[in-house]
Amino acid sequence: MEEIQKSLLTKSKKAKLEQIGKAISLLCIVFIVAVVAAIFYFVMSKGLATFFKDGVNVFDFLFGTDWAPGTVGDDGKPLVGALPMLVGSFLVTLLSAIVATPFAIGAAVFMTEISPNLGKKVLQPVIELLVGIPSVVYGFIGLTVVVPAVRNVFGGSGFGILAGTFVLFVMILPTVTSMTVDSLNAVPRHYREASLALGATRWQTTYKVVLRAAIPGILTAVVFGMARAFGEALAIQMVIGNAAILPENLTTPASTLTSILTMGIGNTIMGTLENNVLWSLALLLLLMSLFFNIIIRMIGKKGEFK
Amino acid sequence: MKKILQLALVLSGLLFLAGCKIDKGESITVVGSSAMQPLAEAAGNEFSSNNLGKFVNVQGGGSGTGLSQVQSGAVDIGNSDLFAEEKSGIDASELVSFKVAVVGIAPIVNKEIGIKDISMDNLRAIFTGELTNWKELGGKDLPIVIINRASGSGTRATFERWVMNGEKTKKAQEQDSTGMVRQIVSTTPGAISYLAFSYITKEVQELSIDGIQPKDENVTTNQWPIWSYEHMYTKGQPTGLTKEYIDFVLSDEMQNGMIPKLGYIPVTQMEVERDANGEIIQ
């Protein structure tokens, strides 16, 4: 009797194990949250110092077109206009997403609707292979192949938004494609069956039913790709030219937030204005990635299959 | 439960291993100028093999990083192409400078442009944006493509100081690393940039200025004015291993052997001396 009572009242080995497991998982998540909070605090405190400590006007920073930190303009204000970089970043991101999306959707439709067997066995691994290639390799290929090609076809020195777009297009293609595949696969089978039962052809079913139903997922995929393009630094730095001037067209040298940031950070002294404005650029990048995350969440919520 | 115990044992074992150094050797950290990195690394390796158990960790990161890290006490030695006085935000009085070598910097161009000599005034005019085509200088009909080093880089600061004469440079392409600059100049028609002598290869064309060749001999007499010292900075007078390492870099063995072999000019060969304001002493 005692024994039964004891075994009922004390925790079993399995229950203890579960408790330990829970504690470890909780610890891990707390640690990760703390790291994220620390990153935010650090970048914020450094990035905002430009405005609070060095007294730079936020509008001068966001909409100024002269970037030469460390020197002052004719009006005595430091030249820290980040507009050229902002324009560069947004242009390469948008353009590469616009170019990549049709390719990604085409590939995904082929892999899920037209030839699922070939898709799973051959195409999916091939596309996922692209993810594993280090970005410095993309940059080098961009420098030795894409830049001369752009120069020969479109003129200019070849460095610029266009070369950056081509490189980023290949880099975000696997992300967008594989997420589009997932969202097409998630469209319930009975949607297709119902459509076919009504006499629709396979093309009609794909175009009017499957793709429509998967739109939220596809949008999420595109935004994910854009987030990746926006944050890419190394490859884009090698092909965009890194001139902090507003680009006149797609083949003149431009710059992105990331390229200016990575180039400058080693040459500036902590705590000086030159260093702080770079942190402000980093803050902009952080806010942008937050923005992309929020968009993805909003799309995701709207598009849940019920 | 047994598995958990095993796991815990392994983990704590790893932590223990990470906590104690396997080798009880001494080590110092050297950070800064990427132009100096090959020199500092080669010297570090040589030093370690001569003195077992003493290690020199060398990292790049740029002259600015070197100066700020050594000033904050995070590293033992900060490498810089520039005088600490030239960099804003650095308190030069706290730092002790050791000039370990000299490096000359020369303008380089793409091989196709068709000229090999340029006057200092024309060179300046190119970088201010006044001259935009090589045919204005007697070369081929090619637009001039300027490729700068990143702003704040030691090489760029040296080049601008001795070429630009205080005039503003035109905004142009920037690249972060020496190797990338060389690669881009060698493949882009009409490109011009500048490199340390030690990085110049046959892929690119170096320019002589007013008939003077970019050669070590011309740097030692200051006939070729575009050069800078390679400094090692310490916070306060160096002691212990830091001092031993710097003494080693300044020793005859290094100055006459490895330093010229790596493409730098030993300080001992310089016939002139320059101070932080650019004035020639002697």
Side-chain angles (χ1 to χ4, degrees), chain A residues 15-34:
Chain A
K16 270 186 195 157
L17 209 60
E18 187 171 312
Q19 256 188 339
I20 295 174
K22 267 188 189 165
I24 292 176
S25 335
L26 184 70
L27 218 68
C28 291
I29 194 77
V30 167
F31 180 70
I32 291 170
V33 170

Side-chain angles (χ1 to χ4, degrees), chain A residues 15-293:
Chain A
K16 270 186 195 157
L17 209 60
E18 187 171 312
Q19 256 188 339
I20 295 174
K22 267 188 189 165
I24 292 176
S25 335
L26 184 70
L27 218 68
C28 291
I29 194 77
V30 167
F31 180 70
I32 291 170
V33 170
V35 167
V36 171
I39 289 173
F40 262 84
Y41 172 75
F42 187 73
V43 176
M44 287 263 189
S45 64
K46 286 264 177 194
L48 292 177
T50 314
F51 310 114
F52 292 123
K53 214 180 99 225
D54 300 311
V56 173
N57 189 325
V58 181
F59 289 97
D60 288 349
F61 173 70
L62 286 178
F63 301 109
T65 53
D66 258 330
W67 176 264
T71 53
V72 289
D74 300 329
D75 54 356
K77 285 181 184 171
L79 295 173
V80 289
L83 192 64
M85 283 82 96
L86 276 170
V87 170
S89 273
F90 277 103
L91 270 181
V92 286
T93 305
L94 283 176
L95 288 176
S96 58
I98 289 173
V99 180
T101 306
F103 282 92
I105 292 178
V109 165
F110 184 83
M111 280 154 69
T112 57
E113 308 297 318
I114 297 173
S115 181
N117 256 336
L118 191 66
K120 266 214 186 85
K121 278 193 193 129
V122 184
L123 297 176
Q124 186 104 22
V126 169
I127 294 217
E128 275 162 12
L129 206 67
L130 290 176
V131 183
I133 299 176
S135 54
V136 63
V137 174
Y138 282 110
F140 198 68
I141 294 172
L143 190 60
T144 50
V145 180
V146 178
V147 169
V150 169
R151 178 167 58 228
N152 292 333
V153 178
F154 298 99
S157 68
F159 293 92
I161 303 267
L162 197 61
T165 302
F166 285 139
V167 169
L168 281 181
F169 152 64
V170 184
M171 291 185 78
I172 67 171
L173 193 61
T175 316
V176 186
T177 307
S178 54
M179 286 184 66
T180 308
V181 167
D182 289 346
S183 69
L184 290 184
N185 277 333
V187 175
R189 225 174 94 114
H190 56 255
Y191 280 32
R192 295 185 181 84
E193 281 164 357
S195 166
L196 290 170
L198 285 171
T201 62
R202 189 156 76 163
W203 168 243
Q204 284 170 326
T205 307
T206 305
Y207 183 65
K208 300 213 159 157
V209 177
V210 181
L211 277 180
R212 297 294 152 92
I215 276 182
I218 295 171
L219 282 179
T220 314
V222 173
V223 178
F224 252 103
M226 283 169 74
R228 182 160 188 220
F230 201 81
E232 171 53 40
L234 195 57
I236 198 82
Q237 187 187 322
M238 288 164 86
V239 298
I240 200 162
N242 308 314
I245 31 182
L246 278 175
E248 292 157 31
N249 57 48
L250 297 184
T251 53
T252 53
S255 54
T256 63
L257 291 170
T258 45
S259 75
I260 295 294
L261 187 59
T262 49
M263 282 206 316
I265 206 89
N267 293 313
T268 52
I269 311 285
M270 278 274 189
T272 56
L273 173 70
E274 291 102 302
N275 189 264
N276 286 342
V277 282
L278 291 177
W279 284 103
S280 306
L281 294 185
L283 182 61
L284 274 182
L285 276 171
L286 193 65
L287 292 179
M288 275 311 293
S289 71
L290 200 65
F291 173 71
F292 281 127
N293 263 307

